[in-house]
Amino acid sequence: LGVQISTLASGQMNLSPGLVELLLYGNAGRTGEPVDLTIGASSLAAYGATTAGVSYGFPLRTEQGEMALGATLTYSVGHAVAVADGGGGTVRADPVSVDVSFPTLLTDDEDTEFNQGSGVGLDLGFMMKRDRLSFGAAVRNLVHSFSWDVDKLVYRRGTASLALGNNETDFERQAASAAPAELRARIDEMTFQPTLALGGGYDVSPDFTAMVDVRNRFGDGMDVGPAFHAGIGGEYRGLEALHLRAGSAIISDGFQLGGGGSLILGPVNLSLAVAVRDTDTEQSTLGQFTLSFGHR
């Protein structure tokens, strides 16, 4: 039996080249000479949510080896969300003028409620061990009813038309029902998507296990990290109180290298991991710290 709770906040923004140039250099452009800029479509997706879960495992012993079935029931609460799709615009140098649009659908900043949306989810898992070989399979978010409360969201048109002697802007709060259908559809997609995970391990020796795992998420939703992951790794347990791990993986549009260790202090387990991720669009360094308690 296990109980867990976690809070996750994530944000991603895709900026058009013209907007990046404007933010970095202003309308002087990269050359220092005033230029006309075309701002292409840009987008934003950000959210914060907390999930609590209760897990239970059912051990099974057969002639083929040890097996176990498990299930996790989760309850998630959303705290904040924002989606935006910029319609683009232009910045002109002579005469100076700005005409941009960045419509946004987001949590009302005047609403301080903890719960802006909620839902229940179910994860299922299977594990089998026979001699030195082990195999596992899991489906996260096999079903999940999470959705944002649209009635608590506000829409802002985010338009600005600025010229000498004639300035017009519209960032006023409006009901979410006034938002374009594309933005409302993106809010509907901001939920927890199913993920299939398969993994196997082989005990090369009592102190070392080699592992392989494959994961695939069906949709983007609110999960972080690459949608596809296929990796290999190993764990060394030659030191009684310290377990060391390292691995590499092919991920969506790139690769990842990582390593870490666990300090075993009786029922207390302190784990630390770091990884370097390289994709077509970014290079990033990841870190994770876990404190867990267990008793056999």
Side-chain angles (χ1 to χ4, degrees), residues 250-268:
I250 297 173
I251 61 176
S252 301
D253 302 322
F255 68 91
Q256 180 174 300
L257 301 173
S262 293
L263 185 62
I264 312 299
L265 303 174
V268 180

Side-chain angles (χ1 to χ4, degrees), residues 200-202 208-213 231-236 245-249 258:
Y202 183 78
F208 182 78
T209 300
M211 293 165 282
V212 60
D213 75 302
I232 58 173
E235 179 184 60
Y236 176 70
R245 306 178 188 90
S248 63

Side-chain angles (χ1 to χ4, degrees), residues 100-279:
V100 295
S101 173
F102 199 63
T104 307
L105 187 58
L106 72 166
T107 305
D108 189 353
D109 55 10
E110 297 182 3
D111 188 345
T112 59
E113 286 190 24
F114 180 79
N115 189 339
Q116 302 289 336
S118 60
V120 177
L122 176 67
D123 306 341
L124 297 179
F126 167 79
M127 185 71 186
M128 179 182 71
K129 184 172 180 61
R130 184 174 184 181
D131 298 326
R132 296 186 177 187
L133 182 65
S134 58
F135 169 79
V139 181
R140 290 180 52 216
N141 304 318
L142 177 64
V143 293
H144 211 300
S145 63
F146 180 89
S147 63
W148 294 95
D149 189 343
V150 179
D151 292 336
K152 295 183 179 180
L153 304 181
V154 296
Y155 169 60
R156 299 182 187 272
R157 289 187 61 198
T159 59
S161 181
L162 310 177
L164 291 177
N166 184 20
N167 298 331
E168 295 182 5
T169 61
D170 187 354
F171 292 89
E172 296 298 321
R173 298 166 65 252
Q174 300 183 48
S177 57
E182 294 81 0
L183 280 184
R184 298 198 302 271
R186 288 192 61 190
I187 284 290
D188 292 339
E189 294 170 358
M190 294 288 282
T191 184
F192 297 95
Q193 302 291 347
T195 299
L196 174 65
L198 304 173
Y202 183 78
D203 295 329
V204 180
S205 71
D207 298 330
F208 182 78
T209 300
M211 293 165 282
V212 60
D213 75 302
V214 178
R215 301 193 299 272
N216 187 72
R217 185 176 68 244
F218 300 92
D220 293 325
M222 296 199 303
D223 283 308
V224 297
F228 176 78
H229 173 114
I232 58 173
E235 179 184 60
Y236 176 70
R237 301 178 298 276
L239 304 175
E240 182 177 353
L242 181 64
H243 296 176
L244 302 175
R245 306 178 188 90
S248 63
I250 297 173
I251 61 176
S252 301
D253 302 322
F255 68 91
Q256 180 174 300
L257 301 173
S262 293
L263 185 62
I264 312 299
L265 303 174
V268 180
N269 185 318
L270 301 173
S271 297
L272 179 68
V274 294
V276 176
R277 178 180 295 165
D278 192 325
T279 68

